[in-house]
Amino acid sequence: MKDYLPLRVGKRFSSFQLHKRVLWITLIALILTVAVAILSLGMGEMKIPPLDVVKVLLGIGSEQHVLIVEQFRMPRIIIAILVGAALASAGAIMQGVIRNPLASPDILGVSGGASVGAVGFLLLFETASIHWLPPIAFLGAMLTTLLLYALAWRQGVTPLRLVMIGVGIKIAAGAIVTLLIMFSPFLLQNKALLWLTGSIYGVSWSDVQMILPWTMLLIATAAILARRVNIQQLGDEIATGVGSRLQLDRFMLLMICAALVGTAVSVGGDISFVALLAPHIAKQLIGPSFGGALPLSALIGSLIVLIADLIARMAFSPLDVPVGVFTSAVGAPFFIYLLYKNRNH
């Protein structure tokens, strides 16, 4: 037991043990995320050396550097970190509940529901304030998850039914989005397609203030429920046998997943495959235990979106390519690899 570090939240609320190797790998992921964030803060039309960026963060930078870093670049970097962490955490929860490495919110229709809400708002309410877009996307994700759960219910909900119904909802959501775009004016189509691709261009500090508390609260809640996810991974019969409130726990976890997705896509659009990639990479590094996989997945998700955003800004400058283009370019072949790897399961 010397290799484990016990952690407890309250006397009876939640407790779990983390392997020291997990802590080291998580620390390395944190250092990499901070390093890429500092590098990204210095990249743009005006290059700022990493040391000068650190000076700005410490409050001793020049006025010009402070203006560029804090006002123009930092909101985008923080949003990339939060969006990546939220999507990756949602993916980790979904894979834990479904017990399948191929499960993710975008594949099971949760992101599709957010897309229907957001695209419907952009195309049908073109004169309405854009500030209504985040809550509409959030509401779309939550309502879709409730629909998914209701349709999958038959004296309880099983992972297999969730997958089958979720894939159907994803296809239906995609069809609705396509119809909305087809019958809309050209200019509105471009706006909707940009959102569907996934972009964090033009975000501000108000966006950071909007999603920061929700992202932190939801990830912390998922961490507290880590033991319940671990029990569900043993199978429904074992989970019920050890006294788990299986259906209630599953519902709570799916709603947290939906809330994380809604929070992320409300400002970042439909950024694909992060929720699939990050948890799978985390589990390959440290194993399936949810208590360790959740924070590592969040950091890897942040790192993926940060790197994708850096490439999006710099590779085709002065064009600002949507982040989702690069996450999809990596995620699509990775998904095919997972399908091939799990073809016999």
Side-chain angles (χ1 to χ4, degrees):
M1 299 296 291
K2 293 182 179 179
D3 292 332
Y4 287 87
L5 180 67
L7 296 177
R8 182 178 296 274
V9 181
K11 291 184 177 180
R12 298 182 179 179
F13 198 47
S14 181
S15 63
F16 48 89
Q17 292 182 329
L18 286 179
H19 198 283
K20 291 181 180 178
R21 177 173 173 270
V22 173
L23 294 178
W24 279 111
I25 293 176
T26 304
L27 180 60
I28 292 171
L30 176 61
I31 293 172
L32 286 173
T33 302
V34 172
V36 174
I38 291 173
L39 177 65
S40 190
L41 284 170
M43 301 299 288
E45 292 187 10
M46 179 179 179
K47 303 285 194 303
I48 302 176
L51 182 59
D52 290 337
V53 173
V54 172
K55 289 181 179 179
V56 171
L57 298 178
L58 294 176
I60 56 175
S62 66
E63 291 186 6
Q64 184 182 31
H65 288 171
V66 169
L67 176 65
I68 293 172
V69 171
E70 292 188 355
Q71 297 302 317
F72 298 131
R73 296 179 185 172
M74 192 176 291
R76 180 165 179 164
I77 302 307
I78 295 176
I79 287 293
I81 292 172
L82 293 174
V83 166
L87 290 174
S89 300
I93 295 170
M94 185 73 77
Q95 290 179 14
V97 171
I98 303 296
R99 303 195 298 269
N100 191 320
L102 299 176
S104 73
D106 41 357
I107 294 172
L108 268 65
V110 179
S111 299
S115 298
V116 170
V119 172
F121 172 79
L122 289 171
L123 301 181
L124 301 177
F125 301 94
E126 53 184 295
T127 59
S129 171
I130 197 66
H131 295 295
W132 282 100
L133 178 60
I136 293 295
F138 183 90
L139 183 62
M142 298 296 289
L143 289 177
T144 302
T145 304
L146 286 173
L147 177 63
L148 168 63
Y149 200 86
L151 292 176
W153 180 271
R154 187 179 300 169
Q155 295 182 341
V157 170
T158 65
L160 179 60
R161 284 205 297 272
L162 283 172
V163 170
M164 300 300 291
I165 299 295
V167 171
I169 289 176
K170 171 184 169 60
I171 295 172
I176 293 171
V177 168
T178 301
L179 284 173
L180 287 170
I181 292 176
M182 283 180 60
F183 293 103
S184 300
F186 179 74
L187 291 177
L188 293 179
Q189 288 179 0
N190 286 343
K191 187 185 297 184
L193 288 172
L194 178 63
W195 191 93
L196 286 171
T197 305
S199 174
I200 54 175
Y201 174 79
V203 295
S204 64
W205 280 110
S206 62
D207 296 308
V208 175
Q209 294 170 359
M210 179 180 65
I211 75 167
L212 176 62
W214 286 107
T215 303
M216 295 296 100
L217 176 62
L218 290 166
I219 293 177
T221 304
I224 291 172
L225 298 176
R227 185 165 56 182
R228 303 184 187 186
V229 179
N230 288 332
I231 292 174
Q232 291 201 23
Q233 290 180 349
L234 299 174
D236 289 4
E237 292 184 1
I238 295 177
T240 304
V242 298
S244 173
R245 298 172 298 175
L246 182 64
Q247 297 303 328
L248 177 60
D249 290 348
R250 187 166 285 163
F251 177 76
M252 289 172 55
L253 289 164
L254 286 174
M255 294 310 295
I256 292 172
C257 173
L260 283 166
V261 172
T263 300
V265 303
S266 67
V267 295
D270 192 7
I271 300 176
S272 301
F273 290 109
V274 175
L276 175 70
L277 282 167
H280 189 81
I281 294 171
K283 290 175 183 177
Q284 290 296 311
L285 291 172
I286 64 170
S289 177
F290 187 76
L294 179 68
L296 183 58
S297 297
L299 288 170
I300 293 174
S302 297
L303 194 57
I304 290 172
V305 178
L306 275 172
I307 293 173
D309 181 58
L310 180 59
I311 296 172
R313 288 192 293 119
M314 302 305 299
F316 302 97
S317 184
L319 294 177
D320 199 322
V321 182
V323 175
V325 171
F326 297 98
T327 59
S328 296
V330 175
F334 186 81
F335 182 62
I336 294 172
Y337 162 74
L338 286 180
L339 284 173
Y340 176 79
K341 183 178 178 182
N342 293 272
R343 67 191 184 280
N344 294 323
H345 293 278

